[in-house]
Every structure is written in structure tokens, then in C-alpha cells.
């Protein structure tokens, strides 16, 4: 099946009891058994729930994986993946990582003896130099949040196979509509389903997709044992969102391109971060591993003054100033004080994330209205 057909049909079956074409919300915590241990595959909803099962199957199909596992948030998915490690293990990740991932790595898991290295992952040599006998995982976020840097998934897949490491790809910004990291050699794909996959800013959820049975068993054990699972209502909402993922992503990409090109040509705008520009450092890799370049755009104003950026953010009307991204509505944010505030200022600046950077999640409204909003705010 082509992607649009998979988004609507793959992994989902009509309800066997009634024939309902949409997956019902199985709002139950427990299931009656015929005899001790003799049940219909469901015992307790922390372990399995029919609504969640359909969503997990759909996600596995979209990512060309075999096993999908859903969690109560994207951070709960990150938590489960790192819990496969033990004290003394080391992880290498990018130095322009999402602030929530950086926080859980450094403020939670580092306390339990797991060491994290952050470096510029656009250069594979930077990472290979950090690999030692304790390294167990490389964590790739591509495109990165919020600088839209591109990490070479195939290149890192070859490296991790060579050193017998796990490669995790955070596919939140791209979604499987734009890229499927498992096909490029990644071992684990994770998502904040809150963003593009849900797509309507009405649900918080995370997911992990893998091909390997052993990895799936480990993650499912953690999922059940630690209990960070979503409820059936939330699973229903994400299932609904997936059915229009291809339509929404196509429009996000179209609008993202128009906004990026508008900002690039604006006399008051300095740097624009968007992987679709030919001068982007890893544009060639983005073009190879992505179907299109997405709906996320970040930029700095000329002069790079925080007060100027604040003034623009306060004046924007259609672009709502809010956390998160990937909804049908356009959002704007200030990473230094919002999504990435947990990263020390010196580390942010070292990675190229200035205090005046503005991040846009370009929605699916009419592009002309979005450009007019930017024009009245920037001047």
C-alpha cells in the first residue's frame, strides 16, 4: 500500500463484535476470563487494551516496523528506551537536542550512573571519536529541535552496526510521511505523538517502533512494569489523527516552504533555519532521506536582539505563542525560555541556539494569511 492508503487502513480492522469501521474506545480496566489464564488476549489495560493495540499496529505499519508500543507521553517513551541501559553505560547524542530529552538524560538518568555525551552529530567523525567500550547507544534527532539540523541516519546506522550499538531515531519532526528511519538502519524509532501524528493539539502521547523481536520484548516489559501507558480515549484520538497525516503533512510542507522563503528574503531577518535551502549544511542528506522538508522553520532577526524577538512574538496573531508543535494551527515559540529552558545558556549558545531564536510550527492555514501575519509582526 502507498502511504496515504496505509495511514487510513494499515494495522486497523473493523470491530469484530459490531463491525464498527472506527476502532471503539474500550474504556475498561479489566477483562473477564473464562478460566484462570484462559482469556481473549486481554487481562488488564495497563498491559493491553484493544484500542491501544490497533494504534500500535497502525504505527508499526506506517514506520515499516514490526512492533509498536505507545506511552503516556513522548518523554515516557524516551524514559522506557533509556531504561534498557544500566549504570556505567554511555550514550552519544546531538548538542542541539530537544530540551526535554536533554533534561531527562542529564537530570534523571545521569544520577543513576548513565553517562551522556553531546556533540555536533552533523559530522560523523565527532561521534566516532567518542565511542568507547561503555558506549551502548547513539541518539539521533533529525531534523533537530529547534535548529533544523539534519543527521545522516544511514551513516550512523553503518557506524552503530560496526560497533554493535543501538541507533535510536527521534522521528517527531519528520513523521513517517517524510522519512522511515528503520528502513535506513535505525534500531528504534520514537515519537512524541502529541505533535504531527496526533496533529490537533488535543492529546499527549509517545510511541516507540522497532523491527527486532527481542527489543520489542524488552520495551514491552518496561511499558507494562513501569506503567507509563496511555488511556483508550487518547489512543482513539491519535488513530483519528493518523488518517489525515499524509494530507496534513503535505500542506505543512507547502506552507513551511513559503514561510521559509519569505523570511529568507525579508530585510529585517538574519539567519533562517530550514533544511530545504540548498545552502543548508546537510541539504543533500535531507534531500536523500526525506520526502520533503517539513513545516518547522526557525529564524533570527538582524541584530539578534532578544527584545526585538520578544516584540515579534507578542505581535503575531495567527501564530499563537505556545509550547508544542505539529498541530493544524500555526504556533510560534521562544526556545531559550520555553522548550529549551532546561539546557544551560552556555550549552545552548555553544550549539548555535541564540537567545533571540524564534521557532515556527507552520500550520495548514492559507499561506497568504500566515505571510501577512509575519509581515505585520516583523514590519
Amino acid at each position: 500500500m502507498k502511504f496515504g492508503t496505509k495511514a487510513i487502513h494499515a494495522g486497523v480492522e473493523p470491530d469484530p463484535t459490531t463491525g464498527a469501521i472506527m476502532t471503539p474506545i474500550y474504556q475498561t480496566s479489566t477483562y473477564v476470563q473464562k478460566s484462570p489464564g484462559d482469556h481473549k488476549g486481554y487481562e488488564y489495560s495497563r498491559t493491553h487494551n484493544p484500542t491501544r493495540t490497533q494504534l500500535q499496529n497502525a504505527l508499526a505499519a506506517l514506520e515499516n516496523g514490526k512492533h509498536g508500543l505507545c506511552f503516556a507521553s513522548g518523554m515516557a517513551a524516551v524514559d522506557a528506551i533509556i531504561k534498557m541501559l544500566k549504570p556505567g553505560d554511555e550514550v552519544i547524542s546531538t548538542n542541539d537536542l530537544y530540551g526535554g530529552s536533554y533534561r531527562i538524560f542529564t537530570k534523571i538518568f545521569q544520577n543513576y550512573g548513565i553517562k551522556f555525551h553531546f556533540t555536533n552529530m552533523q559530522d560523523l567523525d565527532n561521534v566516532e571519536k567518542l565511542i568507547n567500550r561503555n558506549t551502548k547507544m547513539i541518539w539521533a534527532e533529525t531534523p533537530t529541535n529547534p535548529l533544523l539540523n539534519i543527521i545522516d541516519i544511514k551513516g550512523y546506522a553503518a557506524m552503530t552496526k560496526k560497533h554493535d550499538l543501538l541507533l535510536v531515531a527521534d522521528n517527531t519532526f519528520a513523521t513517517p510521511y517524510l522519512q522511515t528511519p528503520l528502513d535506513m538502519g535505525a534500531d528504534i524509532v520514537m515519537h512524541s505523538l502529541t505533535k504531527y501524528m496526533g496533529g490537533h493539539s488535543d492529546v499527549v502521547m509517545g510511541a516507540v517502533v522497532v523491527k527486532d523481536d527481542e527489543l520489542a520484548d524488552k520495551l514491552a516489559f518496561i511499558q507494562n512494569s513501569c506503567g507509563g501507558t496511555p488511556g483508550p480515549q487518547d489512543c482513539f484520538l491519535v488513530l483519528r489523527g493518523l488518517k489525515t497525516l499524509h494530507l496534513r503533512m503535505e500542506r505543512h510542507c507547502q506552507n513551511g516552504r513559503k514561510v521559509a522563503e519569505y523570511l529568507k528574503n525579508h530585510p529585517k531577518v538574519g539567519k533562517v533555519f530550514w533544511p530545504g535551502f540548498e545552502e543548508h549544511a546537510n541539504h543533500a542528506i535531507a534531500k536523500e532521506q526525506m520526502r520533503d522538508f517539513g513545516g518547522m522553520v526557525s529564524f533570527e532577526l538582524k541584530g539578534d536582539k532578544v527584545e526585538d524577538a520578544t516584540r515579534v512574538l507578542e505581535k503575531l496573531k495567527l501564530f499563537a505563542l505556545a509550547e508544542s508543535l505539529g498541530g493544524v494551527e500555526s504556533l510560534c515559540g521562544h526556545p531559550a525560555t520555553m522548550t529549551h529552558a532546561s539546557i544551560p545558556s552556555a550549552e545552548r549558545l555553544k550549539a548555535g541556539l541564540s537567545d533571540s531564536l524564534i521557532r515556527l510550527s507552520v500550520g495548514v492555514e492559507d499561506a497568504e494569511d500566515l505571510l501577512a501575519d509575519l509581515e505585520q509582526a516583523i514590519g
Side-chain angles (χ1 to χ4, degrees):
M1 287 187 282
K2 300 296 184 183
F3 189 90
T5 309
K6 283 204 295 185
I8 295 170
H9 295 287
V12 178
E13 299 291 339
D15 178 54
T17 305
T18 64
I21 194 165
M22 304 307 292
T23 304
I25 301 169
Y26 285 88
Q27 196 69 53
T28 185
S29 61
T30 194
Y31 308 81
V32 174
Q33 302 187 23
K34 183 177 181 180
S35 181
D38 183 4
H39 52 76
K40 299 178 181 180
Y42 297 92
E43 303 166 83
Y44 187 59
S45 275
R46 172 168 40 79
T47 310
H48 297 293
N49 175 283
T51 315
R52 194 171 89 218
T53 297
Q54 295 267 12
L55 174 57
Q56 292 179 157
N57 292 342
L59 293 169
L62 290 179
E63 282 286 4
N64 295 333
K66 187 176 179 182
H67 307 278
L69 300 102
C70 287
F71 296 85
S73 68
M75 293 315 304
V78 174
D79 177 78
I81 294 169
I82 302 300
K83 278 177 177 169
M84 292 193 296
L85 304 178
K86 62 182 187 302
D89 289 346
E90 298 187 12
V91 179
I92 303 171
S93 189
T94 180
N95 63 353
D96 56 334
L97 186 69
Y98 165 56
S101 300
Y102 180 92
R103 180 176 56 222
I104 198 171
F105 290 170
T106 59
K107 302 297 184 183
I108 304 296
F109 284 108
Q110 208 150 271
N111 294 335
Y112 294 96
I114 299 172
K115 187 174 181 180
F116 295 87
H117 302 273
F118 302 98
T119 189
N120 178 0
M121 284 185 65
Q122 293 181 90
D123 185 345
L124 277 76
D125 290 338
N126 287 339
V127 173
E128 189 131 37
K129 291 173 186 174
L130 292 171
I131 294 174
N132 60 63
R133 62 187 179 86
N134 296 320
T135 308
K136 295 296 185 290
M137 182 182 290
I138 291 179
W139 189 283
E141 182 182 280
T142 183
T144 61
N145 179 6
L147 295 177
L148 286 305
N149 287 321
I150 299 297
I151 291 171
D152 183 354
I153 298 172
K154 287 183 179 178
Y156 280 106
M159 184 185 296
T160 52
K161 297 297 181 290
K162 173 183 168 184
H163 294 282
D164 193 25
L165 311 175
L166 287 174
L167 175 60
V168 181
D170 182 339
N171 206 25
T172 299
F173 268 28
T175 80
Y177 176 80
L178 295 181
Q179 66 186 17
T180 46
L182 294 177
D183 291 336
M184 292 180 267
D187 299 291
I188 300 172
V189 170
M190 68 80 47
H191 284 276
S192 171
L193 300 177
T194 310
K195 314 305 191 295
Y196 287 108
M197 303 286 267
H200 294 79
S201 300
D202 55 7
V203 64
V204 174
M205 197 188 302
V208 176
V209 180
V210 299
K211 288 184 176 180
D212 182 79
D213 295 341
E214 185 179 349
L215 271 178
D217 288 344
K218 288 180 180 178
L219 287 162
F221 180 81
I222 293 168
Q223 179 195 45
N224 182 48
S225 300
C226 298
T229 51
Q233 171 76 30
D234 289 346
C235 292
F236 174 86
L237 289 172
V238 176
L239 271 169
R240 183 196 63 178
L242 291 183
K243 295 184 186 302
T244 59
L245 177 63
H246 56 303
L247 304 175
R248 291 184 287 104
M249 288 305 296
E250 185 176 355
R251 184 61 171 263
H252 282 300
C253 291
Q254 291 171 358
N255 284 357
R257 179 182 295 274
K258 290 176 181 177
V259 166
E261 290 174 349
Y262 166 82
L263 291 169
K264 183 181 179 182
N265 294 313
H266 197 290
K268 291 188 177 181
V269 173
K271 290 182 183 178
V272 180
F273 302 85
W274 184 66
F277 291 138
E278 289 189 6
E279 60 269 27
H280 185 282
N282 273 359
H283 171 73
I285 293 170
K287 196 172 180 180
E288 179 185 344
Q289 72 185 23
M290 298 174 71
R291 178 189 296 215
D292 206 332
F293 304 108
M296 299 300 299
V297 182
S298 295
F299 70 100
E300 297 171 353
L301 297 168
K302 285 183 178 174
D304 197 23
K305 294 180 180 178
V306 177
E307 54 267 30
D308 291 337
T310 300
R311 189 158 46 248
V312 168
L313 289 165
E314 289 174 347
K315 289 179 70 176
L316 284 166
K317 296 175 182 177
L318 282 178
F319 284 90
L321 179 59
E323 298 271 0
S324 201
L325 59 102
V328 290
E329 71 290 330
S330 292
L331 299 177
C332 60
H334 183 237
T337 59
M338 296 169 72
T339 55
H340 291 66
S342 58
I343 301 177
S345 178
E347 292 297 316
R348 289 199 308 267
L349 293 171
K350 185 179 176 182
L353 200 172
S354 74
D355 287 343
S356 64
L357 185 83
I358 294 172
R359 188 191 74 180
L360 302 178
S361 174
V362 183
V364 299
E365 303 95 336
D366 283 323
E368 291 77 8
D369 293 328
L370 296 178
L371 299 184
D373 190 30
L374 287 166
E375 179 62 31
Q376 65 82 24
I378 298 172

